[in-house]
């Protein structure tokens, strides 16, 4: 499946046909909830340094990696977990990874108050370059997230700064580096123990994914599960639960999963650009003039209408803050840490 490739350069620079880009984003959000972006302005050298540092870290033995284990991250929920340490729908994932977020010092009011998922990152001794590279990458991708959401706002008939004013003036920023070990045999549908990560949706507004060329990302469409293929310089973007909820289902938070059937490890770098922690979960006001839908995208949405969610949740009945929603979700991913925080 070749997801639509969109040049978001006009949204990054503020010059060019931003409305045309918004039209493309709108069509992709209505059709599959997945698209890829080029023209994002993220330096290829930064991406290469991130990949190299991550590979160097994962080559370390587990004892050294455990120096930054998530159990040492406290309420910030940062650090490394081993293969099988993260759950999806109660089943261990076949991947290891490192959790990062916005770097916050002890004087930050949220850190002093003990707000979960806020605090300092845990960085390893080796490779020393990982710290600087991750922090630089977080800054770059935050800018990309704000730019893409300007396009989403235009697509929904809102002022281009609507999300920045209402939800993302102080966004929740989370970043993961995942390593999926090589797997010699392709899993069967019932072979739950060999999935890198089972069917799921993301929680917030927008995920911006950098991945290597191993493959393995699959998206559920009306015709079944399809492999996602993109060009080497592109990021894969997908919508999270909040955009589906806030648009009343106009846009879709599409289930996806990963299985690495290659003979080499797969690395992926998902960046989550989400509403501020205290932002209220609510429908977007209907004052805008959404862009017209195409017959194809309308048919796609209708074909999936009424289908139960992967987790059985009644997404459109949710109320409260984004932080409350996120915390409940992450506590299911890491139950042992959740006991200490909730």
């Amino acid at each position: 499946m070749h997801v639509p490739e969109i040049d978001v350069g006009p949204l990054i620079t503020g010059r060019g046909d931003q409305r045309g880009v918004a039209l493309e984003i709108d069509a992709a959000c209505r059709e599959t909830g997945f698209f890829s972006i080029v023209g994002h302005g993220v330096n290829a050298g930064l991406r290469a340094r991130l990949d190299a540092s991550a590979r160097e870290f994962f080559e370390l033995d587990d004892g050294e990696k455990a120096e930054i284990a998530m159990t040492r991250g406290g309420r910030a929920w940062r650090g490394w977990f081993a293969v099988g340490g993260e759950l999806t729908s109660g089943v261990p994932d076949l991947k290891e990874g490192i959790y990062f977020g916005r770097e916050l010092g002890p004087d930050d009011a949220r850190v002093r108050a003990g707000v979960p998922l806020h605090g300092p990152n845990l960085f390893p001794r080796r490779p020393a370059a990982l710290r600087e590279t991750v922090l630089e990458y977080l800054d770059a991708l935050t800018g990309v997230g704000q730019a893409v959401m300007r396009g989403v706002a235009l697509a929904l008939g809102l002022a281009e700064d609507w999300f920045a004013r209402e939800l993302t003036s102080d966004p929740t920023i989370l970043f993961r580096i995942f390593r999926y070990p090589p797997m010699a045999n392709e899993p069967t549908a019932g072979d739950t123990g060999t999935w890198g990560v089972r069917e799921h949706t993301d929680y917030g507004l927008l995920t911006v994914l950098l991945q290597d060329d191993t493959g393995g990302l699959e998206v559920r469409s009306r015709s079944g599960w399809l492999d996602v293929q993109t060009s080497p310089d592109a990021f894969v973007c997908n919508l999270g639960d909040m955009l589906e909820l806030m648009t009343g289902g106009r846009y879709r938070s599409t289930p996806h999963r990963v299985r690495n059937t290659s003979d080499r490890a797969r690395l992926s770098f998902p960046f989550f650009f989400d509403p501020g922690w205290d932002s209220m979960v609510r429908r977007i006001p209907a004052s805008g003039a959404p862009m017209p839908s195409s017959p194809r995208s309308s048919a796609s949405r209708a074909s999936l209408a009424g289908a139960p969610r992967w987790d059985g949740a009644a997404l459109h009945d949710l109320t409260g803050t984004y932080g409350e929603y996120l915390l409940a979700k992450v506590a299911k991913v890491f139950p042992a840490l959740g006991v200490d925080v909730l």
Side-chain angles (χ1 to χ4, degrees):
M1 172 185 179
H2 285 278
V3 298
E5 185 173 279
I6 301 173
D7 185 343
V8 296
L11 298 174
I12 299 291
T13 64
R15 300 186 299 272
D17 185 9
Q18 296 184 58
R19 180 173 175 80
V21 177
L23 280 167
E24 294 183 70
I25 290 175
D26 182 69
C29 290
R30 294 175 66 88
E31 175 71 14
T32 63
F34 268 76
F35 54 96
S36 67
I37 59 171
V38 294
H40 43 71
V42 179
N43 184 274
L46 173 59
R47 288 178 276 145
R49 284 189 284 119
L50 181 65
D51 183 273
S53 293
R55 293 182 188 279
E56 185 176 345
F57 172 79
F58 287 123
E59 286 297 320
L60 301 174
D61 63 64
D62 283 2
E64 185 169 347
K65 287 185 282 190
E67 292 177 4
I68 61 163
M70 290 190 73
T71 53
R72 299 172 182 261
R75 299 177 70 84
W77 279 5
R78 310 286 172 83
W80 172 77
F81 65 89
V83 173
E86 184 172 15
L87 308 182
T88 301
S89 298
V91 178
D93 295 335
L94 190 62
K95 69 174 189 291
E96 63 176 311
I98 324 174
Y99 270 46
F100 299 102
R102 178 179 292 175
E103 182 73 3
L104 299 175
D107 293 334
D108 186 273
R110 293 159 294 188
V111 178
R112 293 200 308 269
V115 177
L117 276 76
H118 292 73
N121 289 293
L122 297 181
F123 291 104
R125 290 184 293 109
R126 298 190 297 165
L130 186 62
R131 176 189 178 92
E132 178 183 352
T133 304
V134 165
L135 294 179
E136 183 180 350
Y137 190 78
L138 290 178
D139 286 344
L141 268 289
T142 298
V144 172
Q146 295 283 19
V148 173
M149 292 311 299
R150 286 195 291 272
V152 173
L154 291 172
L156 292 169
L158 303 167
E160 68 175 44
D161 65 346
W162 188 89
F163 284 100
R165 285 187 290 105
E166 299 293 332
L167 293 176
T168 63
S169 61
D170 183 22
T172 300
I173 298 299
L174 301 173
F175 175 52
R176 317 291 188 234
I177 302 178
F178 292 140
R179 177 188 180 275
Y180 299 83
M183 186 163 48
N185 300 313
E186 184 172 348
T188 62
D191 191 5
T192 58
T194 54
W195 289 99
V197 57
R198 289 158 54 92
E199 178 180 0
H200 68 286
T201 55
D202 295 341
Y203 309 143
L205 289 176
L206 178 72
T207 302
V208 184
L209 173 69
L210 173 67
Q211 57 182 344
D212 65 15
D213 61 357
T214 306
L217 175 62
E218 300 178 353
V219 175
R220 191 174 74 180
S221 74
R222 63 183 183 276
S223 58
W225 288 97
L226 300 174
D227 293 326
V228 174
Q229 302 172 19
T230 60
S231 60
D233 290 331
F235 288 108
V236 177
C237 291
N238 65 273
L239 310 183
D241 292 344
M242 292 302 99
L243 263 183
E244 178 171 328
L245 184 156
M246 296 176 74
T247 62
R250 173 185 174 87
Y251 290 169
R252 293 178 43 219
S253 176
T254 306
H256 49 285
R257 65 188 184 186
V258 174
R259 56 179 183 178
N260 179 17
T261 59
S262 74
D263 59 359
R264 57 194 175 100
R266 175 186 189 268
L267 259 61
S268 71
F269 306 82
F271 174 87
F272 302 95
F273 184 79
D274 294 343
W277 186 263
D278 295 321
S279 299
M280 296 300 296
V281 173
R282 59 188 177 92
R283 288 283 296 273
I284 291 174
S287 57
M291 294 185 172
S293 61
S294 67
R296 182 182 178 192
S297 64
S298 297
S300 175
R301 290 179 64 229
S303 68
L304 292 171
R309 269 177 59 92
W310 61 278
D311 58 358
L315 177 62
H316 295 269
D317 294 336
L318 289 174
T319 58
T321 66
Y322 178 65
E324 292 168 339
Y325 179 71
L326 177 61
L327 189 57
K329 285 289 189 178
V330 177
K332 292 181 179 179
V333 173
F334 294 103
L337 291 175
V339 168
D340 296 331
V341 174
L342 289 178

